[in-house]
Amino acid sequence: MRLVSSLPRDSQVRIMENTVANAEKYFGQFCTLMASYARKTAKLRDKSDLLVKQLIDYANTENPELRSTMKNFAEELAKVQDYRQAEVERLETKVVEPLKRYGVQLKQTQAEIKRFNKVRNNEIKQLEKLERLRQKSPSDRHTLAESNVHKASVDASRTTQQLEETIDEFQKKKLKDIQKIFSDFVTIEMVFHAKALEVYSSAFQNLDDYDFERDMEVRGLETHHSIRTLVQPCRSAELKTCCQHLIKSIPLQEDTPHINPVQCQLCMCIVQALAHFWPNPGDA
Amino acid sequence: MRLVSSLPRDSQVRIMENTVANAEKYFGQFCTLMASYARKTAKLRDKSDLLVKQLIDYANTENPELRSTMKNFAEELAKVQDYRQAEVERLETKVVEPLKRYGVQLKQTQAEIKRFNKVRNNEIKQLEKLERLRQKSPSDRHTLAESNVHKASVDASRTTQQLEETIDEFQKKKLKDIQKIFSDFVTIEMVFHAKALEVYSSAFQNLDDYDFERDMEVRGLETHHSIRTLVQPCRSAELKTCCQHLIKSIPLQEDTPHINPVQCQLCMCIVQALAHFWPNPGDA
């Protein structure tokens, strides 16, 4: 009975079944929530699209200077929505869909565990039956029974191994999938936020450059200090040399862009550099 | 009749009334849309909060290594939601509320224009009546009529000037308000995106560091090349020197943070620098 006793006990199989059921439960929820997150993001895009439309309508009723400023602003806002749309699409293909597929795979794994377990239980029963038979007639049919016991125990052992492999595969795949799906989620979000930051920087400059006095046709009332004239040269010369390539190198329609470690490191540096130039309001 | 003819004609007043009505219409729509944008953002925050909760619940059912990774990820995601909450609050106080107040002011301006116009029309009628009186009896009561005509025309002129000033004030305030409100909107969004970028950079690192083999207790199967070991030193030494201060210098609960021109310039540089380290996928 050595082979039989080395097989995982029923309780171990139950633990595994629970583990898969647990994953199924949570990944199902993640899938629902991520789909919902994507939908809410799409609604935010819709509202912003309406705002863009209204801004353009309004711009058309205004004087040239304000008209141009508002139209530019509307265009920048529209760009952010394009990036948001790319974000939504990527979330769907790179997060929601894989989670859905994973749910299907979990069901298959559950069925597989059930099937292997059933086969194994049958094989163990068979083995026990042969054992009893051998004990009843120790001399008669001894050789045949002995050989049958051996065959049955080998079968049971093999099925057990398959069961163990299935479970191992499941665990390994689960951990890799978690890492992949959530890393993709973070990457998609990072790209969107970086793009939005870029566009809004330009939008801010554009709004700031607006000279309302030109629209007012009021001269000499106030000296409009355009912030543009106040802009000091950026302290980091290194940063300036980077100004050639724009972030558009991340294509909008491409699948999840790949973030390499240097880029990730850079993102960290960026926010830290931002803080450097962004002192506490008390200091400003 | 020199004074009367120099007054803005009725059609001009009507144009001004239309301008104010136009502003009222569009600013009302902007107010509704911005409020809606803030609400949709709040809904996105709510969904993310649910996701955070589920991630923590799930983490508690997992092995130590994955548990720690998922909990860290959930915490980073929760941080983004804190920033989103700050974004929502700022949008409400710095964008929606000013737009609402502006709507009220527009109604007051409309009432003021109406009132001045009514007074002015009465004064002009009075002036015309006195003119007719003077023409009917050129000799009789001449001096009195002359003086009355003079007084009425001065009154009408003063009221016209008040009307013009009201309209001028309205235009000036409108242009300044537009610039302020939309600049505040852009600033709020920029701060949120910068903060989100920071947090997700850290979340990406955290997910990437997850070593699933430790959970699998599988040794020697695959060599896990942690991206951490692959991270090359950031090319920009200048950027690195900025790493002391984190972006937390923008306080979460503070009102709209002030973006100064250098910061704005920096934002532009950042996204450009990002692109520098983020080459086209084909080159990577």
Side-chain angles (χ1 to χ4, degrees), chain A residues 145-260:
Chain A
E146 195 68 52
S147 133
N148 281 346
V149 165
H150 180 72
K151 188 185 169 296
S153 72
V154 165
D155 284 353
S157 174
R158 198 193 53 227
T159 313
T160 302
Q161 205 189 329
Q162 283 173 318
L163 182 59
E164 281 173 343
E165 277 169 11
T166 302
I167 286 164
D168 250 30
E169 263 319 298
F170 156 73
Q171 277 290 44
K172 208 162 151 186
K173 192 172 166 3
K174 182 185 79 176
L175 300 177
K176 275 190 174 176
D177 281 351
I178 286 174
Q179 196 176 26
K180 173 87 173 72
I181 291 170
F182 288 109
S183 289
D184 278 354
F185 170 78
V186 171
T187 305
I188 292 163
E189 295 296 284
M190 275 175 80
V191 170
F192 169 65
H193 290 303
K195 289 287 194 180
L197 192 59
E198 176 196 11
V199 175
Y200 280 129
S201 297
S202 158
F204 183 83
Q205 199 67 62
N206 165 46
L207 277 169
D208 186 68
D209 285 345
Y210 168 60
D211 186 352
F212 70 86
E213 281 171 24
R214 221 175 293 167
D215 272 338
M216 285 294 289
E217 296 180 346
V218 173
R219 297 271 174 259
L221 249 182
E222 282 171 295
T223 313
H224 177 65
H225 295 290
S226 168
I227 287 185
R228 194 191 265 166
T229 64
L230 298 173
V231 171
Q232 297 160 24
C234 185
R235 270 186 262 176
S236 164
E238 187 70 20
L239 268 171
K240 269 197 153 176
T241 62
C242 301
C243 294
Q244 320 310 331
H245 311 268
L246 265 174
I247 208 165
K248 61 172 109 67
S249 54
I250 310 173
L252 196 62
Q253 290 315 321
E254 211 240 337
D255 274 356
T256 322
H258 175 69
I259 292 192
N260 72 38

Side-chain angles (χ1 to χ4, degrees), chain A residues 12-271:
Chain A
Q12 277 175 315
V13 173
R14 261 203 302 280
I15 287 170
M16 276 321 302
E17 282 177 339
N18 287 345
T19 303
V20 179
N22 188 56
E24 203 198 355
K25 173 189 159 190
Y26 282 108
F27 278 76
Q29 288 174 344
F30 293 153
C31 185
T32 308
L33 284 170
M34 284 296 192
S36 190
Y37 182 89
R39 274 199 308 277
K40 300 277 174 227
T41 305
K43 284 195 178 166
L44 199 55
R45 176 209 57 207
D46 291 344
K47 277 294 156 201
S48 310
D49 283 346
L50 280 179
L51 186 59
V52 167
K53 202 191 155 297
Q54 289 300 324
L55 283 167
I56 293 171
D57 282 0
Y58 174 63
N60 287 329
T61 70
E62 275 294 349
N63 290 337
E65 190 78 5
L66 183 59
R67 185 190 308 148
S68 152
T69 301
M70 293 315 274
K71 276 196 174 170
N72 282 343
F73 174 57
E75 277 165 24
E76 304 282 23
L77 203 58
K79 266 188 224 165
V80 174
Q81 305 329 307
D82 289 344
Y83 289 127
R84 219 189 284 273
Q85 172 59 18
E87 180 199 3
V88 170
E89 284 169 16
R90 285 168 180 167
L91 284 173
E92 274 161 7
T93 54
K94 292 282 161 181
V95 179
V96 178
E97 278 308 316
L99 281 168
K100 249 185 224 169
R101 282 198 299 273
Y102 190 70
V104 174
Q105 282 168 359
L106 278 175
K107 285 214 185 303
Q108 287 168 350
T109 305
Q110 273 180 317
E112 220 160 272
I113 290 176
K114 213 168 223 166
R115 192 166 55 79
F116 278 134
N117 200 34
K118 203 176 158 188
V119 170
R120 193 181 65 102
N121 285 344
N122 281 341
E123 285 165 346
I124 290 169
K125 263 183 207 156
Q126 187 66 17
L127 191 58
E128 286 165 349
K129 206 173 129 190
L130 285 169
E131 272 293 326
R132 279 196 302 275
L133 200 69
R134 195 174 57 169
Q135 280 160 6
K136 267 185 192 165
S137 46
S139 55
D140 202 28
R141 299 169 69 190
H142 180 73
T143 321
L144 180 64
E146 195 68 52
S147 133
N148 281 346
V149 165
H150 180 72
K151 188 185 169 296
S153 72
V154 165
D155 284 353
S157 174
R158 198 193 53 227
T159 313
T160 302
Q161 205 189 329
Q162 283 173 318
L163 182 59
E164 281 173 343
E165 277 169 11
T166 302
I167 286 164
D168 250 30
E169 263 319 298
F170 156 73
Q171 277 290 44
K172 208 162 151 186
K173 192 172 166 3
K174 182 185 79 176
L175 300 177
K176 275 190 174 176
D177 281 351
I178 286 174
Q179 196 176 26
K180 173 87 173 72
I181 291 170
F182 288 109
S183 289
D184 278 354
F185 170 78
V186 171
T187 305
I188 292 163
E189 295 296 284
M190 275 175 80
V191 170
F192 169 65
H193 290 303
K195 289 287 194 180
L197 192 59
E198 176 196 11
V199 175
Y200 280 129
S201 297
S202 158
F204 183 83
Q205 199 67 62
N206 165 46
L207 277 169
D208 186 68
D209 285 345
Y210 168 60
D211 186 352
F212 70 86
E213 281 171 24
R214 221 175 293 167
D215 272 338
M216 285 294 289
E217 296 180 346
V218 173
R219 297 271 174 259
L221 249 182
E222 282 171 295
T223 313
H224 177 65
H225 295 290
S226 168
I227 287 185
R228 194 191 265 166
T229 64
L230 298 173
V231 171
Q232 297 160 24
C234 185
R235 270 186 262 176
S236 164
E238 187 70 20
L239 268 171
K240 269 197 153 176
T241 62
C242 301
C243 294
Q244 320 310 331
H245 311 268
L246 265 174
I247 208 165
K248 61 172 109 67
S249 54
I250 310 173
L252 196 62
Q253 290 315 321
E254 211 240 337
D255 274 356
T256 322
H258 175 69
I259 292 192
N260 72 38
V262 180
Q263 288 159 353
C264 185
Q265 177 104 341
L266 181 83
C267 283
M268 296 296 282
C269 285
I270 278 167
V271 290

